[in-house]
Amino acid sequence: MKLAGVELVRVEVPFLVDIETAAGAHRTRSLLFVRVVSVEGEGWGECAALSQGTSVDPTVDEVEDAAAGRGVARLIEASAARGGHLPAEAEVAQLFGSSPVDRMLAAVFEMATSDAELRQSGRSLAAALGTGVGYQSMPVGAAVGIPGDRDVARLRDGVDAVVAQGVARVRLKIEPGWVIEPVRAVRDDHPELVIQVDANGSFRSDDAAGLERLAEWNVLCIEQPLPPADLVAHAELARCLSVPICLDESLSSPRRVLDAIRNESCQVACLKPGRLGGVRATRLAHAACAQAGVSVFVGGFFEAGLGRSSNLALAARLSEDAPGLVGDLSDPATYLSVDPCGFPRVHGGWVRVPDQPGVGPSPDEVTLGDLNARRRWFPATYT
Ligand SMILES: [Mg+2]
């Protein structure tokens, strides 16, 4: 495919309800799309970065600056080296380094190139990944944040709402002082519901006794209890607790996934393709987890429909390789005021993996206009 240029498209979409976590509140989802345009057709990628970064994840502004700089330049240089032809999807992530910004760039440029290739060949991402019979639908999980005023009644309403949609499991955000009361309330309301909790790194090792109490309410796992850098402290905590530990922010690269496995820091891994560097990087990390007996689920960054469709197809393929836990695959319409892309409808807690050509639904041009998208075009000029 002959590369004509690359466009960066940025829109701001308010969340339906502020998303409160121990790491801060999210009010607006800044969406960054990369559009790769070739003579034969185009492809879209969606960046996972949020408006606010964390100790391990860059902000969308940082990724957009880098995309406008070395991101676009490397794709154009790689195309120039191939006589103007876009590199194959399998080659794109390797154009980038190992920094957090570079892994986000790798993921979004890989997605855009993959989308262009798949549309050109008339194949879906699920088909390209070799997803087989029996994995055309996936169960959907949801995350419920901390009510701003720690109002248990509001939390219960929030959980009731996602349970009414049929979600197979709920991840409750917790933080010091907001552990027992919310979990007990939700367990009382929903005796059969699969409950996970996510602390976003807000506890310390000496909180172990309090966290162990979660076993009383049959919590599936405790996600990221301690700050992300310390894999050894997580390993020590895992030996003290009967509730399995899941890591999320700690798994900031495929290499870190291997380190966590070697240290026995977790029994469950939340793998986020945007953070790890794309679909291929996530499959490598998943293979290592499967071999070590670490259960995996595909985590989300409150994506729009394109990014979430990519995660959906990947989750289907991974669950075929090794049974995992329910991923963050809920419909973006349940948390974004507008989803410029759209997503398959969720029926009874299950969603069908897209089988149309491409990675997923690309953003709607009219919706992008209504949202006053900021668009920058970078023509592929070869000297
Ligand atoms: Mg998490």
Side-chain angles (χ1 to χ4, degrees):
M1 301 181 80
K2 200 96 172 168
L3 182 65
V6 179
E7 188 178 36
L8 301 184
V9 181
R10 169 82 178 260
V11 289
E12 310 295 324
V13 179
F15 280 108
L16 284 172
V17 177
D18 294 351
I19 312 280
E20 303 272 350
T21 77
H26 301 289
R27 297 194 162 78
T28 301
R29 183 63 170 98
S30 298
L31 294 168
L32 171 65
F33 296 100
V34 170
R35 185 170 74 107
V36 170
V37 181
S38 77
V39 174
E40 296 86 351
E42 64 180 36
W44 288 79
E46 180 187 331
C47 176
L50 293 156
S51 310
Q52 292 139 294
T54 67
S55 61
V56 293
D57 295 314
T59 66
V60 68
D61 286 341
E62 291 172 302
V63 181
E64 185 176 8
D65 285 350
R70 64 183 183 276
V72 168
R74 288 193 190 163
L75 197 68
I76 292 176
E77 284 163 13
S79 301
R82 291 160 176 76
H85 292 281
L86 198 57
E89 161 271 321
E91 301 168 314
V92 172
Q94 298 167 58
L95 300 173
F96 300 97
S98 57
S99 73
V101 168
D102 269 51
R103 286 193 297 273
M104 286 276 185
L105 291 177
V108 68
F109 279 90
E110 178 190 82
M111 193 191 300
T113 309
S114 173
D115 190 49
E117 267 182 26
L118 293 167
R119 286 173 190 276
Q120 175 73 6
S121 63
R123 290 200 304 164
S124 67
L125 177 58
L129 292 173
T131 310
V133 175
Y135 294 88
Q136 295 100 333
S137 293
M138 293 297 291
V140 165
V144 179
I146 301 166
D149 46 6
R150 289 190 175 181
D151 180 346
V152 175
R154 273 183 55 200
L155 174 80
R156 291 177 124 138
D157 290 346
V159 173
D160 287 350
V162 295
V163 169
Q165 295 159 16
V167 301
R169 69 104 173 103
V170 168
R171 246 155 93 219
L172 301 176
K173 296 289 183 177
I174 60 169
E175 62 184 2
W178 179 256
V179 182
I180 303 301
E181 205 184 359
V183 172
R184 181 164 46 200
V186 173
R187 177 53 77 214
D188 284 351
D189 290 350
H190 304 281
E192 304 295 327
L193 182 65
V194 176
I195 299 175
Q196 297 175 214
V197 295
D198 184 1
N200 293 103
S202 57
F203 289 87
R204 299 295 174 265
S205 295
D206 53 13
D207 295 318
L211 292 173
E212 178 60 20
R213 289 199 61 200
L214 288 168
E216 291 175 41
W217 294 284
N218 192 20
V219 169
L220 183 69
C221 60
I222 303 173
E223 184 173 325
Q224 199 64 57
L226 307 177
D230 201 339
L231 293 175
V232 174
H234 277 101
E236 287 170 5
L237 187 63
R239 286 192 283 275
C240 301
L241 297 184
S242 56
V243 181
I245 286 187
C246 168
L247 290 179
D248 174 8
E249 288 90 338
S250 287
L251 307 181
S252 51
S253 67
R255 168 64 197 267
R256 290 280 290 176
V257 175
L258 297 179
D259 287 346
I261 290 169
R262 196 186 62 214
N263 282 289
E264 300 182 351
S265 305
C266 63
Q267 295 98 323
V268 180
C270 168
L271 299 183
K272 294 184 169 170
R275 175 190 289 148
L276 290 167
V279 166
R280 284 176 178 273
T282 306
R283 290 193 74 184
L284 285 173
H286 176 262
C289 289
Q291 197 174 23
V294 171
S295 299
V296 163
F297 67 94
V298 174
F301 281 100
F302 300 104
E303 297 87 357
L306 173 58
R308 201 140 267 215
S309 292
S310 177
N311 289 354
L312 176 54
L314 174 62
R317 174 66 233 191
L318 298 185
S319 68
E320 191 173 346
D321 290 342
L325 305 184
V326 175
D328 292 334
L329 302 172
S330 55
D331 185 344
T334 59
Y335 51 83
L336 294 180
S337 55
V338 183
D339 175 5
C341 307
F343 191 71
R345 283 196 60 190
V346 176
H347 289 288
W350 289 76
V351 64
R352 205 162 171 80
V353 180
D355 57 5
Q356 299 90 342
V359 168
S362 44
D364 175 64
E365 291 288 347
V366 174
T367 308
L368 290 178
D370 292 344
L371 291 166
N372 296 316
R374 181 158 59 86
R375 308 184 72 141
R376 289 188 284 170
W377 172 247
F378 300 86
T381 50
Y382 305 111
T383 51

